[in-house]
Amino acid sequence: MARRQAGSTRRVGDGGSFPFAGASHSKSRSSPLLSICLLLLGAGLLIWYAYSGPGIFKSVKEVSKVSGDYSCTSEVQRAVSLLKKAYGDGMRKVLHVGPETCSVVSTLLKEEETEAWGVEPYDIEDADSHCKSLVSKGLVRVADIKFPLPYRAKSFSLVIVSDALDYLSPKYLNKTVPELARVASDGVVLFAGLPGQQRAKVAELSKFGRPAKMRSASWWNRFFVQTSLEENEGPSKKFEQAVSKGSYKPACQVFHLKPLH
């Protein structure tokens, strides 16, 4: 049957009724190959554009830096220079409270005329040798911040906290935040996650005890009123001015509180 169909096609061609039948058949055979080549070429150009130019995939990569498991502790390190502009001499004795505090303390110690200490709320069994060295020197200690801090009132000029409070329930926040303000003489800077921004991974739940609770600015403001904590307006305005003049854009909420007297 196939032989007969081929024969009939040759007869039609020979008769001159369809002089371009052979050419049309050749195009139909080559067009799938041409389509595949064009498809591969287009895909290659799209990949090149996405990773070398200002394409949509580049935007997606940039957004991913401030979503998912974004760390406010890394945000603290980016904001050190701005905090110095806002607090001036208030950066002379700094206590950082939060996960990965060893990295923050190391950054602060590089600043001139700045002494730094840290409180790590969670275990540091997997910490590197540098972090363990800071612990052995007494610059970093592991302490449960749900209980009173082992420091006298106004032991530090400035207290910075990041990522730790997002994992505490209001029951403990009512005690912990005023405790942070107790050991500060110039103020407390609180870095908190944005709603929908951070979540603890399943593997981290055993470490943090509960998923992170990202609270809105209005929630925090109500909490500050209920716990008799006031905004530290002077440094807060200076910090905002410094932010507006530079390239730094906070990816976490930043609150400036007065110390307890």
Side-chain angles (χ1 to χ4, degrees):
M1 182 182 293
R3 200 175 289 123
R4 283 198 298 271
Q5 288 177 342
S8 63
T9 300
R10 284 198 297 273
R11 285 195 295 272
V12 171
D14 293 340
S17 300
F18 300 100
F20 299 103
S24 175
H25 183 64
S26 177
K27 286 184 179 180
S28 66
R29 293 174 59 187
S30 61
S31 60
L33 180 61
L34 179 61
S35 299
I36 293 173
C37 291
L38 290 174
L39 182 62
L40 292 175
L41 179 61
L45 289 173
L46 183 60
I47 294 173
W48 174 83
Y49 180 70
Y51 287 93
S52 64
I56 56 174
F57 290 108
K58 186 174 181 181
S59 298
V60 171
K61 288 191 292 181
E62 290 174 351
V63 170
S64 69
K65 294 179 183 179
V66 293
S67 61
D69 299 308
Y70 190 84
S71 168
C72 287
T73 296
S74 62
E75 186 83 358
V76 171
Q77 298 180 68
R78 294 176 56 214
V80 167
S81 61
L82 302 180
L83 290 171
K84 291 196 73 171
K85 292 179 180 179
Y87 286 89
D89 292 340
M91 290 285 287
R92 63 187 182 278
K93 294 181 66 176
V94 181
L95 174 69
H96 174 261
V97 178
E100 308 298 332
T101 191
C102 289
S103 61
V104 177
V105 170
S106 298
T107 299
L108 290 170
L109 289 175
K110 295 176 183 178
E111 298 294 320
E112 293 183 3
E113 300 180 356
T114 298
E115 297 179 272
W117 293 264
V119 171
E120 169 62 63
Y122 308 103
D123 292 334
I124 56 171
E125 294 179 357
D126 299 330
D128 57 25
S129 59
H130 176 66
C131 183
K132 291 180 179 179
S133 174
L134 293 175
V135 173
S136 64
K137 293 177 181 178
L139 296 176
V140 171
R141 66 168 64 195
V142 179
D144 191 338
I145 61 173
K146 293 192 295 291
F147 301 97
L149 295 174
Y151 303 111
R152 296 179 180 178
K154 301 182 181 180
S155 293
F156 307 95
S157 54
L158 187 68
V159 174
I160 303 172
V161 58
S162 60
D163 289 328
L165 302 182
D166 294 326
Y167 293 94
L168 295 182
S169 66
K171 172 185 176 181
Y172 293 111
L173 284 175
N174 290 333
K175 300 177 181 179
T176 300
V177 180
E179 181 67 7
L180 296 172
R182 179 187 69 82
V183 300
S185 61
D186 291 352
V188 176
V189 184
L190 192 160
F191 285 76
L194 292 165
Q197 182 191 61
Q198 298 170 284
R199 292 291 183 272
K201 298 176 182 178
V202 174
E204 294 177 337
L205 291 180
S206 60
K207 176 179 179 180
F208 297 120
R210 54 175 286 157
K213 176 69 173 180
M214 300 301 135
R215 302 170 173 97
S216 65
S218 59
W219 187 95
W220 280 111
N221 288 327
R222 289 194 301 270
F223 170 79
F224 297 145
V225 171
Q226 293 169 0
T227 50
S228 301
L229 294 169
E230 300 178 11
E231 180 187 6
N232 207 348
E233 295 181 2
S236 179
K237 290 180 180 179
K238 291 180 180 179
F239 183 81
E240 291 176 1
Q241 290 172 356
V243 169
S244 65
K245 294 179 181 178
S247 59
Y248 168 78
K249 302 297 179 186
C252 296
Q253 300 180 89
V254 185
F255 301 98
H256 302 263
L257 305 174
K258 290 182 178 180
L260 290 180
H261 297 292

